[in-house]
Amino acid sequence: MKPSLLLPLLLISLLSLPSAASMMKFSFTGHITQVDNNSNQVWDPLDLMGTKITGYFLMDVELASHGREETSFYWWHNIDYGPGALASSINIANKNYSLSGENDYNALHDGWNTNEYLEYYSGLDQFARPVNDLISLSDNEIVGTQTPEGDLYFQQHISIVFSDSFNDFLKDFGPSVGGAEPQPDWRQTFSWENDGSANNGKMGKGGFSYRKTLYPNSGGREDLFSASVGFNLSQVTASPFTAVSEPSSMWIICCLILAYFINYFLSRRRPILHSRVPSAWL
């Protein structure tokens, strides 16, 4: 390979290295059991009842691991100020509805409106009896904009909760590195399944709401649409998620310095072309 091609290829490969952020993905499947259109119809109940849904939550483990140990077996974390730990998506009738987390900060009112809620049950109660292992995840997104007619708000909300009273599928939360309170091990992997059979000790359900509301300049409130679906969960799996992010400024500077020195040493090794030209030609 020519040295002139080696340098840009090396630089591109260095800049494309994945980030080391710790992320987990909670994928879920289920079936719709309830459809409500409280203001204008968004979904037809006859078409949706019983249909399959799929979705997932992406969790930033670092941001999620700042909750409170309420008891020896119950932990919770309400993120209502600052960047959220969750991003989520759900597919209903072949249409994706996504909550990216990019709108946790409400620019319209210059404040945070994150409103994420995480719950975790595992361990023994005060009588040394095992509690039902349980995880609950709730993600929320509100986007506010100003229009000539008034303030317009678009809101989405996804939540799931699942548990098992027979199988100990979650690790008990314990001391965290550098933290004041014990935290769940959100990096653990598992596969929770519910076949719907009676007395299997499994419980899993969730919901999604979808609203658009206008607050006119003249006062009052107008619901342009407001609808929700409920569903039972049949499976939830937790697995690591690797995302590729943009490189930091310091990483780019280091790559450029390295590229400079590589180019410098390669240029010194290149032959001097005029030294090979026969003297008779000069």
Side-chain angles (χ1 to χ4, degrees):
M1 180 180 292
K2 295 181 179 180
S4 58
L5 296 178
L6 178 61
L7 181 59
L9 290 176
L10 177 61
L11 186 59
I12 292 172
S13 64
L14 288 172
L15 294 179
S16 62
L17 290 175
S19 66
S22 182
M23 303 286 291
M24 290 294 292
K25 185 175 184 178
F26 297 83
S27 303
F28 60 87
T29 59
H31 292 84
I32 292 178
T33 58
Q34 182 180 357
V35 180
D36 291 319
N37 292 289
N38 299 317
S39 179
N40 297 326
Q41 180 161 302
V42 177
W43 299 297
D44 187 342
L46 296 179
D47 290 340
L48 284 191
M49 289 294 291
T51 60
K52 181 180 179 180
I53 60 94
T54 61
Y56 62 82
F57 286 82
L58 294 180
M59 175 187 290
D60 185 313
V61 173
E62 171 60 28
L63 293 176
S65 300
H66 298 282
R68 177 179 177 181
E69 180 193 21
E70 189 68 27
T71 68
S72 61
F73 58 87
Y74 173 53
W75 174 98
W76 62 275
H77 191 12
N78 181 202
I79 307 175
D80 57 1
Y81 187 85
L86 301 175
S88 55
S89 179
I90 190 171
N91 184 284
I92 301 174
N94 296 319
K95 182 177 180 180
N96 288 319
Y97 302 86
S98 299
L99 288 67
S100 66
E102 296 178 357
N103 298 293
D104 290 341
Y105 184 81
N106 189 333
L108 184 60
H109 295 289
D110 191 24
W112 293 95
N113 197 9
T114 312
N115 196 24
E116 295 178 357
Y117 207 85
L118 295 76
E119 291 182 290
Y120 189 102
Y121 286 82
S122 184
L124 304 176
D125 64 13
Q126 62 270 33
F127 303 107
R129 297 175 301 193
V131 301
N132 297 349
D133 282 5
L134 178 147
I135 285 180
S136 175
L137 303 175
S138 178
D139 194 11
N140 185 69
E141 183 176 73
I142 299 178
V143 181
T145 57
Q146 290 181 320
T147 69
E149 293 79 22
D151 292 345
L152 182 65
Y153 291 91
F154 177 68
Q155 180 177 8
Q156 298 182 98
H157 180 85
I158 302 177
S159 63
I160 62 170
V161 55
F162 55 99
S163 68
D164 193 328
S165 60
F166 293 159
N167 301 298
D168 187 16
F169 74 99
L170 295 177
K171 297 179 182 178
D172 298 348
F173 49 88
S176 61
V177 178
E181 295 197 41
Q183 303 293 321
D185 180 8
W186 290 115
R187 294 180 178 86
Q188 63 186 297
T189 60
F190 61 79
S191 180
W192 175 95
E193 295 184 8
N194 184 10
D195 60 7
S197 59
N199 303 318
N200 66 358
K202 309 286 183 65
M203 183 280 296
K205 60 183 180 179
F208 172 67
S209 61
Y210 188 59
R211 298 184 178 94
K212 196 170 188 178
T213 306
L214 175 68
Y215 290 86
N217 296 323
S218 57
R221 165 178 173 165
E222 181 182 352
D223 291 325
L224 303 181
F225 60 77
S226 177
S228 63
V229 298
F231 49 87
N232 286 334
L233 292 173
S234 56
Q235 185 179 50
V236 181
T237 59
S239 59
F241 178 80
T242 302
V244 177
S245 63
E246 294 182 356
S248 65
S249 299
M250 182 58 68
W251 180 249
I252 294 176
I253 292 173
C254 292
C255 290
L256 291 175
I257 294 174
L258 178 60
Y260 170 79
F261 281 106
I262 293 175
N263 185 59
Y264 173 75
F265 286 112
L266 288 177
S267 63
R268 294 192 63 183
R269 295 183 59 185
R270 292 171 186 166
I272 302 176
L273 295 179
H274 70 264
S275 65
R276 296 186 179 184
V277 178
S279 58
W281 295 5
L282 297 177

